[in-house]
Amino acid sequence: MDEQDWRRFIAAYHHAHPGITEQLFTLADTSPYAWLAEPLHGIEGTVLDLACGSAPTRAELPDADWIGVDLSAAELAEAARRGRGPLVRAGADALPAASASVAAVCAAMCLPVVTPLPQVFEEIRRVLRPGGTLAALVPSQTGLSPSGMLGWLRVMTALRAVRQPWPNPQARDGLAALLRDAGFRVRSDERRVFTLAIDSADAAALLPDALYLPGLSPRRAEAAKRSLARWAASGRRLELPLRRVVADLPTEKPSEEPI
């Protein structure tokens, strides 16, 4: 898919499934959003939630000067329905904030899919004040146990899919390197394996809806849900490796003098 096709897909996807990632994460043993928010506790100044979706991090940062930004009207409506705000409709590549006006940017599960990624990084750099923090949560391709690999093989087989064709696959386990190349100073790069409880047909039905699969037809999605409903069982768990990268905007430009 070219960028315009991807943008059309992602707009239609979020219109059809507002809040779907948050719904999926309710199945996790512990909250990935709480883990993402940990480095942002106590920050003084505005926290901008990039591509905030249904704004699940708002509840994790109740005392923050928080603002959610998303391009999807459906996602923002879902966030408003849940009493989360303030909210602004805008794209990640054109943030509605003055330069150097934001203390922190929170990016939950969005950097592998927002486009164009270099411009998104430029916008994050522009709005962050010197020393400001970026905390990002992204999927990881590493950390699965053998049983975890078999679980995802079962899911993808039901979907008749090999992979998710994200536009920025390098913004997963390679996110730290991308941020360094973009001029950020990486403070930490950690992976944690969460587990999703796939113990009911309703839980299993979230999986086809929560994955970005442009080629997935409604008919195939329903067939996958029926297949995964038969797989669901009490005690069934699906591993979900996630990576949290925390970076700062340097207060000074790197020295160009030779070492």
Side-chain angles (χ1 to χ4, degrees), residues 39-191:
L40 304 178
H41 291 157
I43 282 183
E44 296 183 1
T46 300
V47 176
L48 189 151
D49 196 329
L50 183 79
C52 67
S54 55
T57 60
R58 185 65 179 112
E60 304 296 340
L61 297 165
D63 300 322
D65 179 16
W66 180 98
I67 182 169
V69 175
D70 202 287
L71 192 57
S72 170
E75 291 283 8
L76 293 177
E78 178 64 16
R81 187 186 70 80
R82 293 170 180 263
R84 298 163 178 169
L87 303 163
V88 177
R89 188 178 183 190
D93 59 338
L95 296 174
S99 297
S101 64
V102 169
V105 170
C106 177
M109 303 296 287
C110 64
L111 292 180
V113 298
V114 291
T115 58
L117 188 58
Q119 188 168 331
V120 172
F121 284 160
E122 288 177 9
E123 277 293 273
I124 295 172
R125 283 180 54 86
R126 181 184 67 80
V127 302
L128 275 177
R129 68 191 185 193
T133 298
L134 167 64
L137 184 71
V138 294
S140 174
Q141 290 185 292
T142 64
L144 288 172
S145 68
S147 63
M149 293 179 186
L150 287 175
W152 277 107
L153 179 61
R154 177 69 176 79
V155 171
M156 300 307 278
T157 299
L159 290 162
R160 290 163 54 190
V162 176
R163 60 182 179 86
Q164 295 183 78
W166 293 332
N168 313 317
Q170 69 277 26
R172 291 178 289 178
D173 294 301
L175 179 58
L178 290 181
L179 290 174
R180 291 188 184 97
D181 290 344
F184 292 87
R185 179 179 55 223
V186 174
R187 280 172 32 196
S188 64
D189 179 9
E190 303 171 80
R191 186 193 65 217

